[in-house]
């Protein structure tokens, strides 16, 4: 029998997750269906209840429900607790198991797809919202030397406090104008306003990886990084596919090949 999965968000029409999971299913021979479902802003819990009653095996969760998804869990993973948010729910004999695959997706894209080991790398994480808090702990676990900067400085400080790691630095945009970083990750939603964070051009070294978490188009941050000498500039499509592969593995215990799926999505 076909096992049912879905991604839930609001809005959700833009989501590439159904396409990605269909490609994973074809490749691995797993008998699953995967659809996108838009929940009303006050209807997330009811949607999860309906899916469980209808025998769905799990779902992905995206903006703005990742925090609620963790609250609904009967069994949250350590990764979800550290991120304070869940993007993957697994419905298992009466339990709602919550996990967060965003951090693993980013790490795998950087380390495996780009071949850059994070250990001892100077990493600047720009942003302190949901995406940044999902990747900060996994970056630390990979051995990155982490600096967090955010437009609203108090949120960067709060994220750092929650991570409770004395090695993390938080600072304002003004304080980092003369430092260089090996990896600069734009985890802000600035591109949605066609803007970039207030970064100084001097932070890019000749070997810097500039990583934009948004995907699908060249953003102002990517253009800025290219113009100021970053060695590699990428969007977050690889992270998107890798976090999906991690979710697929959580549900099916089968790890799909991601490279052909990333390549296929770049064609569309
Ligand atoms: P949130 O709304 O939780 O956080 C937004 C963050 O962006 C805040 O830190 C906010 O700063 C900052 N910000 C917004 N506008 C600007 C601006 N003009 N200049 C500087 N900073 C700004 O969003 P998320 O964290 O959920 O998402 C962030 C991005 O990551 C999105 O583009 C999303 O698409 C992407 N993403 C990609 C994934 C992937 O798999 N590739 C997975 C998850 C997210 P402040 O605190 O000052 O408001």
């Amino acid at each position: 029998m076909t096992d049912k999965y879905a991604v839930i968000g609001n809005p959700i029409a833009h989501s590439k997750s159904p396409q990605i999971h269909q490609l994973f299913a074809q490749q691995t021979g797993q008998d699953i269906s995967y659809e996108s479902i838009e929940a009303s802003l006050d209807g997330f819990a009811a949607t999860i209840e309906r899916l469980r009653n209808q025998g769905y095996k799990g779902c992905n969760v995206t903006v703005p429900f990742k925090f609620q998804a963790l609250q609904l869990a009967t069994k949250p993973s350590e990764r979800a607790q550290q991120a304070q948010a869940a993007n993957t729910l697994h419905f298992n004999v009466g339990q709602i198991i919550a996990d967060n695959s965003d951090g693993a997706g980013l790490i795998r894209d950087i380390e495996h797809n780009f071949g850059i080991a994070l250990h001892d790398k100077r990493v600047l994480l720009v942003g302190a919202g949901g995406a940044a808090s999902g990747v900060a702990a996994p970056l630390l676990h990979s051995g990155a030397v982490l600096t967090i900067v955010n437009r609203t400085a108090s949120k960067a400080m709060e994220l750092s406090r929650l991570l409770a790691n004395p090695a993390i630095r938080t600072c304002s945009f003004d304080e980092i104008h003369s430092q260089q970083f090996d990896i600069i990750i734009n985890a802000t939603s600035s591109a949605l306003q066609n803007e970039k964070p207030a970064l100084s051009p001097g932070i890019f070294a000749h070997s810097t990886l500039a990583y934009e978490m948004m995907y699908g188009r060249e953003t102002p941050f990517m253009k800025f990084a290219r113009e100021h000498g970053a060695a590699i500039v990428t969007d977050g499509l690889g992270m998107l596919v890798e976090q999906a592969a991690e979710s697929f593995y959580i549900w099916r215990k089968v790890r799909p090949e991601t490279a052909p799926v990333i390549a296929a999505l770049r064609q569309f």
Side-chain angles (χ1 to χ4, degrees):
M1 204 175 77
T2 304
D3 287 338
K4 292 182 285 189
Y5 297 89
V7 58
I8 303 171
N10 184 331
I12 199 64
H14 66 284
S15 176
K16 290 187 188 298
S17 293
Q19 211 178 341
I20 294 171
H21 283 278
Q22 269 150 28
L23 290 169
F24 287 165
Q26 278 167 20
Q27 184 201 107
T28 58
Q30 293 284 305
D31 187 9
I32 67 157
S33 66
Y34 189 107
E35 70 204 271
S36 57
I37 296 175
E38 184 166 298
S40 62
L41 291 176
D42 61 356
F44 178 69
T47 304
I48 294 295
E49 190 57 23
R50 175 174 71 78
L51 296 190
R52 291 177 74 203
N53 289 336
Q54 292 176 350
Y56 282 70
K57 297 289 183 190
C59 63
N60 284 128
V61 180
T62 187
V63 177
F65 300 124
K66 289 184 184 182
F67 298 104
Q68 279 183 63
L70 179 63
Q71 284 159 9
L72 278 185
T74 56
K75 199 174 164 199
S77 72
E78 198 185 330
R79 298 192 297 194
Q81 283 173 305
Q82 276 180 332
Q84 295 194 296
N87 74 341
T88 309
L89 297 180
H90 186 191
F91 308 141
N92 190 20
V93 254
Q95 281 191 320
I96 303 179
I97 303 167
D99 206 338
N100 192 314
S101 63
D102 280 339
L106 174 72
I107 304 295
R108 177 129 178 122
D109 197 31
I110 293 175
E111 293 206 318
H112 186 262
N113 299 339
F114 287 98
I116 299 169
L118 279 154
H119 192 78
D120 279 346
K121 292 290 188 306
R122 297 163 301 171
V123 174
L124 179 65
L125 180 60
V126 189
S133 58
V135 302
L139 285 167
L140 284 170
H141 291 157
S142 301
V145 181
L146 193 58
T147 302
I148 303 175
V149 64
N150 190 49
R151 182 176 62 181
T152 309
S154 58
K155 286 200 210 162
M157 273 143 67
E158 176 61 10
L159 175 55
S160 169
R161 193 187 64 75
L162 288 170
L163 291 164
N165 185 317
I168 303 173
R169 239 186 99 213
T170 55
C171 55
S172 67
F173 285 107
D174 290 342
E175 286 171 287
I176 48 165
H177 67 278
S178 58
Q179 282 169 63
Q180 292 191 322
F181 294 88
D182 303 305
I183 300 171
I184 300 169
I185 301 165
N186 184 22
T188 77
S189 52
S190 56
L192 294 177
Q193 305 124 45
N194 212 25
E195 287 176 5
K196 65 165 187 62
L199 295 165
S200 144
I203 62 173
F204 299 99
H206 65 274
S207 60
T208 298
L209 165 65
Y211 197 107
E212 168 68 80
M213 272 205 199
M214 237 187 77
Y215 48 84
R217 66 183 165 88
E218 173 99 346
T219 66
F221 168 77
M222 292 168 74
K223 184 168 179 284
F224 182 71
R226 251 184 247 293
E227 285 170 0
H228 295 97
I232 307 171
V233 178
T234 185
D235 71 356
L237 185 70
M239 172 180 171
L240 179 77
V241 174
E242 295 295 347
Q243 64 78 28
E246 185 72 15
S247 296
F248 195 87
Y249 179 77
I250 290 165
W251 295 323
R252 312 299 301 178
K253 295 288 169 278
V254 173
R255 199 171 282 285
E257 287 288 324
T258 50
V261 176
I262 295 170
L265 289 176
R266 293 247 181 250
Q267 302 293 312
F268 293 125

